[in-house]
Amino acid sequence: MAPRQSQILAQRDPKTFPGHYQAHCSSIDTVSAVLDEEVQTKHIEYFQGYGQICEPGLPLELPAHMKESILMLPKMAEMREDIQISEGNNDEEKLQAKKRKYREALVRQRRADLKKYRESWIHVERDQNILNRGKGKPLHVVKDICTRAQYLIMPELARIATAMACTAELTFEEKLFFPGDLRTLCSRKEDVIYLPNEQPIEGFCPAQGCQLEIEK
């Protein structure tokens, strides 16, 4: 905490949180002005901006298998069993209290696991960014369910979208794949969409040993 504070304001008080005054820091590069050099404000922009805390793509919820594993925890299973027993005791108030306690425990456990999952995700992403020499990877956020389904069914569409959204120069191999993906996408039949490796081969079923004719 102290090094970050002293870089801008020489703040010595460890109780003062830098976020309270970072946005009010002066953007004047005094050293460059005195030495008659080109102004450098990158370090000031870093402290005044959100780049130091922004994590694009940070997971908002746990994966399905982690949610399922939480339900299988012994304490959660014990609470559900206790609720089932209470359902036959005709004590509605006590039953609702146990259900409320179960929901609170479930939410608390999910929040704790989500925090750990996010921390692990951040470490992996930062390590990968170091290995990539800071170039990172193109952020491709897909919010529409139909679009995600199309990307799974038509991998060439996903590759085309990723290449078009990429701001870095494409590699030679990516440039070679791009026309082929365009041709594959344009030659698809609009009335029938097959999963990868399941499209008919010369009008017949692609399964080995099956000669069933398939109408497109």
Side-chain angles (χ1 to χ4, degrees), residues 4 31-32 43 80 136 142 176 187:
R4 290 179 57 190
V31 176
S32 298
H43 60 294
R80 288 197 301 271
V142 182
L176 289 179
S187 62

Side-chain angles (χ1 to χ4, degrees), residues 120-188:
S120 175
W121 184 91
I122 290 174
H123 285 306
V124 172
E125 288 295 314
R126 289 181 178 176
D127 290 344
Q128 187 63 42
N129 191 40
I130 293 174
L131 294 176
N132 293 340
R133 300 181 181 273
K135 296 181 180 179
K137 57 183 180 180
L139 179 61
H140 189 212
V141 180
V142 182
K143 298 182 179 180
D144 185 64
I145 297 178
C146 294
T147 305
R148 291 202 301 268
Q150 287 179 343
Y151 286 173
L152 293 175
I153 296 175
M154 297 180 285
E156 66 276 4
L157 180 61
R159 290 193 294 268
I160 292 173
T162 302
M164 294 181 66
C166 182
T167 57
E169 183 178 357
L170 299 178
T171 63
F172 180 73
E173 289 77 11
E174 290 173 336
K175 292 179 180 178
L176 289 179
F177 280 120
F178 194 81
D181 289 336
L182 282 176
R183 181 180 180 278
T184 302
L185 184 63
C186 294
S187 62
R188 280 182 175 272

Side-chain angles (χ1 to χ4, degrees), residues 5-213:
Q5 294 169 340
S6 61
Q7 288 181 27
I8 297 296
L9 296 179
Q11 176 59 256
R12 301 295 182 181
D13 186 3
K15 297 181 181 180
T16 304
F17 187 71
H20 294 162
Y21 51 75
Q22 283 179 2
H24 302 286
C25 296
S26 173
S27 299
I28 300 175
D29 185 5
T30 309
V31 176
S32 298
V34 172
L35 299 178
D36 195 20
E37 296 178 348
E38 185 179 355
V39 177
Q40 298 182 8
T41 59
K42 289 184 177 180
H43 60 294
I44 299 176
E45 293 173 357
Y46 172 79
F47 283 106
Q48 289 185 346
Y50 292 98
Q52 56 181 319
I53 59 175
C54 181
E55 296 291 346
L58 184 69
L60 299 178
E61 59 180 356
L62 289 170
H65 71 278
M66 295 187 68
K67 290 182 179 180
E68 188 69 22
S69 64
I70 292 176
L71 297 177
M72 296 297 105
L73 291 175
K75 62 178 182 180
M76 303 305 299
E78 183 179 350
M79 295 179 71
R80 288 197 301 271
E81 184 178 355
D82 190 20
I83 291 175
Q84 292 178 356
I85 295 175
S86 299
E87 288 178 349
N89 296 335
N90 297 325
D91 190 345
E92 188 65 23
E93 183 177 354
K94 189 175 182 180
L95 176 62
Q96 293 301 325
K98 289 184 177 181
K99 287 184 177 180
R100 182 169 58 254
K101 185 178 179 181
Y102 173 77
R103 288 194 298 268
E104 292 174 352
L106 181 61
V107 171
R108 186 165 52 249
Q109 185 66 42
R110 284 181 175 177
R111 287 179 177 176
D113 288 3
L114 178 59
K115 182 180 179 181
K116 295 179 181 178
Y117 179 66
R118 284 178 169 178
E119 291 175 351
S120 175
W121 184 91
I122 290 174
H123 285 306
V124 172
E125 288 295 314
R126 289 181 178 176
D127 290 344
Q128 187 63 42
N129 191 40
I130 293 174
L131 294 176
N132 293 340
R133 300 181 181 273
K135 296 181 180 179
K137 57 183 180 180
L139 179 61
H140 189 212
V141 180
V142 182
K143 298 182 179 180
D144 185 64
I145 297 178
C146 294
T147 305
R148 291 202 301 268
Q150 287 179 343
Y151 286 173
L152 293 175
I153 296 175
M154 297 180 285
E156 66 276 4
L157 180 61
R159 290 193 294 268
I160 292 173
T162 302
M164 294 181 66
C166 182
T167 57
E169 183 178 357
L170 299 178
T171 63
F172 180 73
E173 289 77 11
E174 290 173 336
K175 292 179 180 178
L176 289 179
F177 280 120
F178 194 81
D181 289 336
L182 282 176
R183 181 180 180 278
T184 302
L185 184 63
C186 294
S187 62
R188 280 182 175 272
K189 298 294 183 180
E190 296 182 354
D191 54 344
V192 178
I193 298 179
Y194 296 94
L195 293 173
N197 301 323
E198 292 188 4
Q199 60 271 21
I201 300 177
E202 296 182 356
F204 294 94
C205 176
Q208 185 176 4
C210 180
Q211 296 297 324
L212 180 64
E213 185 176 359

